[in-house]
Amino acid sequence: MAPTTKATECEVVLIGCGAPLRGMGWYHAKQLLLGECPSAKLCYVVEPWFMGAGAAGPGGSDFTEFMTETKKDFGVEFLTAVADLPPVPEGSTRLALVSGRTADNPRLLGEAIKAGCTTIYLEKPGAPTVAELEAMKAEAENSKVAVLMGYNKNVCKFVRKAREFAAATEGSHVTFVSNNTYENTPESLGECFERNREGMLKNMAIHELALLVSFYDVSVENIESVSADKEFSSCQTLPGPSGADFTDFDKIKFTITTKTGKSVSVQADRCGGDVSYAMVTDESGKEVFRHSMPDDEDKANVETLEKKYPGAMPYFFSQDPDYVTVKERVANFCANGVAADGIATIDIAVETLRVAEYLTPLLTEQLK
């Protein structure tokens, strides 16, 4: 029997756990099990792959060990399908935290609604295409189910501090910089391009586009101009592990100006390192402010987590506090009706995906 919830907690159903140390769902589970989100109680994990065909493959034995320990220590129930969930207990609320493959999200959202979830947390970008995400939005609205997004940079300290500094500095300009740690080789980037075949703007840089939609009035209809920084940017066609060719940006920098007079830049580099930041420049283009993630305050937490979870994905640690913030605000909304301040809605997600689909061919053409 699954754990029972207090009056101020919602049941959490984690849909898509993934492999320990690798899967984002696994890291969500660890934070929930440690009680870092007081409005949330992890009650169920739905993991069809590692409880089915993937059990004997890479990561399978690690997942089985995690499942056995979590059942024993916390009483969490593990299921192979959303449809196997029991009815929601009377007086309780149920939150679905969907952290599987993006392509499965349209189906999983419908299944979560049928399973009695009144709030659904979707990882970015929510769905592979705008049309699918719009259909999901309509389905949720028709069922009076709230859908909130895991765009954790919306609540990041470095974003908030850069926006505050820019607001107090006349004529300033903000650039959001996202870096990752892939090796700058055809083999490494080719594997990255194939695994993230939706493309950089729908994957790595989608968080930055969500910031633009959330805070800078960016929408497809409100974009006045887009200018790629050709000196910085690079678009390549590389073979993936399957042998098929994939075309994507390995790094991109561009500036958007809106019809309402706002201007903001994004820079993303697959091989840029493990520090992301927001930068503010003055009217002359001189940098006057920068705040990084992780900052000095966060680095001690990163070092602690590296020792606690050796071998885990590095980005788990640098964004650890923000994952907690997003989950707790979503859970508090589900359990107690408290507004989820700063959390991106599915409306923001739809427009963000629209912007990504609009920009990709435009920027690709500018780099030719």
Side-chain angles (χ1 to χ4, degrees):
M1 186 171 176
T4 56
T5 58
K6 300 174 186 173
T8 55
E9 295 175 330
C10 61
E11 277 193 356
V12 177
V13 180
L14 175 63
I15 304 174
C17 179
L21 304 181
R22 307 290 297 175
M24 186 67 241
W26 168 82
Y27 200 72
H28 283 311
K30 296 299 285 187
Q31 290 185 324
L32 291 167
L33 293 170
L34 289 171
E36 295 184 31
C37 303
S39 302
K41 173 77 77 173
L42 182 62
C43 296
Y44 301 95
V45 173
V46 178
E47 177 49 63
W49 174 248
F50 284 119
M51 292 176 69
S61 61
D62 293 335
F63 174 81
T64 300
E65 182 181 347
F66 167 72
M67 176 174 65
T68 302
E69 290 177 356
T70 304
K71 283 180 176 180
K72 175 176 172 289
D73 295 342
F74 299 95
V76 174
E77 287 194 24
F78 283 71
L79 308 170
T80 57
V82 178
D84 294 336
L85 285 163
V88 181
E90 189 173 347
S92 297
T93 53
R94 180 175 284 173
L95 164 66
L97 199 172
V98 183
S99 187
R101 296 190 319 139
T102 300
D104 295 334
N105 283 358
R107 171 179 59 82
L108 292 173
L109 178 131
E111 292 178 0
I113 291 172
K114 288 177 184 173
C117 298
T118 54
T119 304
I120 296 174
Y121 173 128
L122 282 181
E123 288 291 7
K124 55 84 178 169
T129 66
V130 170
E132 287 169 294
L133 196 56
E134 286 179 330
M136 292 163 68
K137 176 177 177 284
E139 182 178 4
E141 286 176 350
N142 289 339
S143 301
K144 294 182 170 53
V145 168
V147 181
L148 298 167
M149 305 297 301
Y151 280 118
N152 59 287
K153 286 185 181 177
N154 275 34
V155 301
C156 272
K157 179 173 31 175
F158 82 95
V159 170
R160 183 184 76 251
K161 287 187 174 292
R163 290 178 58 226
E164 288 171 352
F165 188 94
T169 308
E170 191 172 347
S172 62
H173 183 90
V174 176
T175 302
F176 294 108
V177 178
S178 177
N179 288 316
N180 215 322
T181 54
Y182 291 95
E183 291 180 45
N184 193 4
T185 64
E187 294 78 19
S188 177
L189 288 171
E191 187 277 334
C192 171
F193 287 6
E194 179 166 350
R195 183 162 41 83
N196 302 295
R197 64 187 66 194
E198 64 268 32
M200 180 190 265
L201 294 186
K202 282 190 177 183
N203 185 275
M204 177 181 167
I206 196 81
H207 282 284
E208 283 64 41
L209 295 186
L211 294 174
L212 271 53
V213 172
S214 298
F215 304 123
Y216 292 89
D217 296 341
V218 171
S219 67
V220 171
E221 288 75 19
N222 196 36
I223 292 175
E224 178 72 37
S225 65
V226 181
S227 176
D229 182 331
K230 296 181 182 179
E231 188 175 338
F232 177 88
S233 305
S234 169
C235 184
Q236 300 188 55
T237 298
L238 297 169
S242 68
D245 283 343
F246 295 87
T247 300
D248 198 4
F249 307 108
D250 55 288
K251 55 182 180 175
I252 186 73
K253 183 178 181 181
F254 57 91
T255 298
I256 290 179
T257 302
T258 69
K259 294 174 183 176
T260 47
K262 294 189 178 180
S263 182
V264 62
S265 299
V266 169
Q267 176 180 308
D269 187 345
R270 301 269 194 198
C271 310
D274 59 2
V275 176
S276 295
Y277 59 92
M279 175 177 67
V280 182
T281 51
D282 63 17
E283 289 180 287
S284 69
K286 177 186 174 185
E287 182 178 329
V288 291
F289 179 87
R290 178 184 295 208
H291 200 98
S292 300
M293 178 187 72
D295 61 12
D296 290 340
E297 184 183 347
D298 297 330
K299 283 177 182 174
N301 186 48
V302 169
E303 290 172 8
T304 299
L305 292 167
E306 285 173 341
K307 293 172 184 172
K308 189 173 186 178
Y309 304 119
M313 300 298 285
Y315 68 86
F316 291 165
F317 308 144
S318 59
Q319 301 181 56
D320 174 83
D322 306 314
Y323 295 142
V324 170
T325 298
V326 174
K327 279 199 292 295
E328 172 54 22
R329 290 185 188 176
V330 173
N332 199 14
F333 169 78
C334 181
N336 305 307
V338 177
D341 291 340
I343 307 303
T345 63
I346 195 169
D347 299 271
I348 294 287
V350 167
E351 191 55 45
T352 298
L353 210 50
R354 289 185 72 226
V355 170
E357 290 188 358
Y358 173 80
L359 290 177
T360 298
L362 191 154
L363 291 169
T364 303
E365 186 63 29
Q366 287 190 21
L367 296 184
K368 286 182 179 177

